[in-house]
Amino acid sequence: MGSEQKKIGLALGGGSARGFAHIGVLQVLEGAQIPIDLVVGTSMGAVIGAFYCAGIDLLLLEKMACQLQRNFWMDWTFPRLGLAAGDKLEQLIFLLTKGKTFAQLEKYFAVVAADLRSGEKVVLQKGSVARAVRASAAIPGVFHPVEEGDKVLVDGGVVERVPAPTARDMGADFIIAVDVGIYLGGEKPHHLLDVITQSLDIMQRDLCRYTLEAADVVVQPQLKEISPGHFHKADIAIQKGREAAYEVLPQIKALLGKERLYEEAT
């Protein structure tokens, strides 16, 4: 797409297991031939966004998500800086993205992480995709932080749960954001991952409202029955993502049509 043309950006938010809903949203957007020019992901949104931008077939990705066991990507370790080292997660991402760098991806992609030393947002868009995504998904207390130079990087949801502002900064003129939700007053936590992620949800409530203001359209799957640690409910999350995307698809098409960014196939 030429530099004089407007760009459509997709911002995929964090949410642990709820983030599988991104797969369903992507399936609907792809089926409707919505032209996505750039993708920005935070945490689980970074994981799914990396796979999408690496060209993985979305139906295959759905099958893998529904069959993936937690021990495939959780390498429990002595809890000094985190309960899991994160090496297995990075290896899984490296394998599924075929070891690509950002420059080798099929779509322009970036991920958001947080630097514990400065307290600032860090946007990663160069070098190893797997390494960057690992940093963006390093939930504090669960995964060891990723050290890059003088930075100590953790989950991007600490600073920008839904990275719509970053998509805007990267040049997106029209932004579709996917927010997999913050649900309080729901299920009692049953796993340490639930305790940590639900605590982060509480802290991120107001921040999430701010980040969504940068989006033109927000897709919000209803995932209240899925706790952050319910990775065995990937099929439900994906279906909820499809349902939410279908619901707002007419709005997306109408707005893009007005901007002359989308023309319905005949």
Side-chain angles (χ1 to χ4, degrees):
M1 182 173 264
S3 58
E4 75 283 357
Q5 292 180 288
K6 292 186 177 181
K7 297 181 179 180
I8 301 174
L10 184 62
L12 304 178
S16 296
R18 294 172 184 147
F20 283 125
H22 294 313
I23 298 174
V25 174
L26 287 168
Q27 289 173 341
V28 172
L29 295 179
E30 188 174 82
Q33 298 182 334
I34 303 298
I36 304 298
D37 299 297
L38 62 91
V39 180
V40 185
T42 292
S43 196
M44 191 61 166
V47 175
I48 303 301
F51 297 154
Y52 172 62
C53 291
I56 295 180
D57 179 82
L58 291 172
L59 288 177
L60 175 60
L61 184 56
E62 178 178 359
K63 291 179 180 178
M64 289 191 296
C66 293
Q67 296 174 3
L68 195 64
Q69 300 296 315
R70 185 177 289 169
N71 61 353
F72 287 174
W73 52 273
M74 289 295 284
D75 41 4
W76 305 111
T77 185
F78 184 78
R80 186 170 66 90
L81 296 177
L83 295 172
D87 294 335
K88 290 180 71 173
L89 175 61
E90 183 174 348
Q91 290 165 8
L92 177 64
I93 298 167
F94 185 89
L95 175 66
L96 295 180
T97 59
K98 299 181 180 180
K100 292 182 178 181
T101 64
F102 282 89
Q104 295 170 322
L105 295 175
E106 296 183 5
K107 293 182 182 293
Y108 193 39
F109 180 56
V111 305
V112 173
D115 180 14
L116 286 181
R117 296 192 66 182
S118 68
E120 296 179 349
K121 176 176 73 174
V122 177
V123 180
L124 303 170
Q125 49 190 322
K126 294 181 180 179
S128 168
V129 172
R131 184 72 173 177
V133 172
R134 171 182 173 179
S136 180
I139 302 171
V142 177
F143 289 103
H144 280 214
V146 174
E147 296 189 24
E148 290 291 339
D150 61 348
K151 296 181 175 63
V152 181
L153 303 176
V154 296
D155 195 303
V158 173
V159 289
E160 195 170 85
R161 184 184 181 93
V162 182
T166 297
R168 187 73 69 188
D169 292 342
M170 289 174 57
D173 301 288
F174 186 94
I175 299 171
I176 302 169
V178 186
D179 172 24
V180 296
I182 293 176
Y183 302 94
L184 303 178
E187 282 196 26
K188 176 182 177 181
H190 298 288
H191 187 276
L192 179 59
L193 180 61
D194 293 339
V195 174
I196 294 173
T197 53
Q198 287 176 219
S199 298
L200 289 173
D201 280 352
I202 295 171
M203 293 186 288
Q204 293 167 357
R205 277 181 299 186
D206 294 334
L207 176 62
C208 191
R209 294 191 193 102
Y210 159 74
T211 59
L212 290 176
E213 290 176 357
D216 295 280
V217 177
V218 181
V219 185
Q220 294 180 302
Q222 297 305 304
L223 302 163
K224 188 173 183 179
E225 72 272 25
I226 301 177
S227 293
H230 283 173
F231 288 90
H232 60 287
K233 293 184 178 181
D235 57 336
I236 299 174
I238 293 169
Q239 178 57 31
K240 293 293 185 180
R242 281 194 290 261
E243 292 172 1
Y246 277 125
E247 185 175 336
V248 301
L249 188 58
Q251 179 188 2
I252 293 173
K253 289 181 176 180
L255 291 172
L256 289 179
K258 288 180 181 179
E259 296 286 342
R260 297 184 180 180
L261 297 174
Y262 172 82
E263 185 174 345
E264 191 89 44
T266 56

